[in-house]
Amino acid sequence: MKIEGKIAFEVVEQTPEQVISEMPILAGVLNPYGVVNAGAILWFADITATLLVMGPSSRPTEGMAGFPLAITLNANFVSNQKEGTFKAVATYVKKGKKVNVVRTIIYGKKDRLIADVTTNHVPAK
């Protein structure tokens, strides 16, 4: 059995205190019930949060040193949808020297709450 999928998103706004991203719902991220797979939602939230911690002047590159590593992730899935776009809004709960806590809210159509995700990040060495 071969399983394939495509997942991508675009950062539409990035400041030192907030990142806003949009992810189109593509066929490759749908689960067998036709809604977005929870893992795709988590990936979207985690990468958006990581970009916030990295800051607007940094871009992730493969093998980079000092990448902010997520050490915990707590997600509450409230709803889902089959088509359209998701929007992620990541903001700091705590901006620290050793640990950063980020809350990322995922919205769907008409700003419907999809998921509320909190991640803790530490700098990797």
Side-chain angles (χ1 to χ4, degrees):
M1 171 175 29
K2 183 177 182 180
I3 300 171
E4 292 184 64
K6 182 176 180 181
I7 187 169
F9 74 90
E10 181 177 345
V11 175
V12 296
E13 182 182 322
Q14 184 170 13
T15 70
E17 299 302 318
Q18 179 175 267
V19 172
I20 299 174
S21 308
E22 292 182 348
M23 181 178 82
I25 297 173
L26 305 171
V29 301
L30 300 178
N31 67 23
Y33 300 103
V35 295
V36 179
N37 178 284
I41 296 170
L42 287 177
W43 175 83
F44 181 41
D46 177 49
I47 301 299
T48 300
T50 299
L51 291 171
L52 175 65
V53 176
M54 289 179 71
S57 61
S58 296
R59 290 287 174 216
T61 57
E62 188 173 333
M64 69 184 289
F67 190 82
L69 181 65
I71 56 171
T72 61
L73 185 146
N74 180 21
N76 292 295
F77 297 99
V78 179
S79 60
N80 208 327
Q81 66 189 49
K82 297 180 177 200
E83 58 188 14
T85 303
F86 282 163
K87 178 174 80 171
V89 179
T91 56
Y92 283 104
V93 173
K94 177 186 183 281
K95 191 174 184 179
K97 291 182 180 180
K98 295 186 179 185
V99 177
N100 292 287
V101 181
V102 177
R103 182 178 187 201
T104 305
I105 308 294
I106 309 294
Y107 298 98
K109 293 178 186 174
K110 299 180 181 176
D111 288 329
R112 181 178 183 183
L113 178 62
I114 301 296
D116 187 341
V117 181
T118 303
T119 49
N120 295 335
H121 302 260
V122 296
K125 303 207 187 230

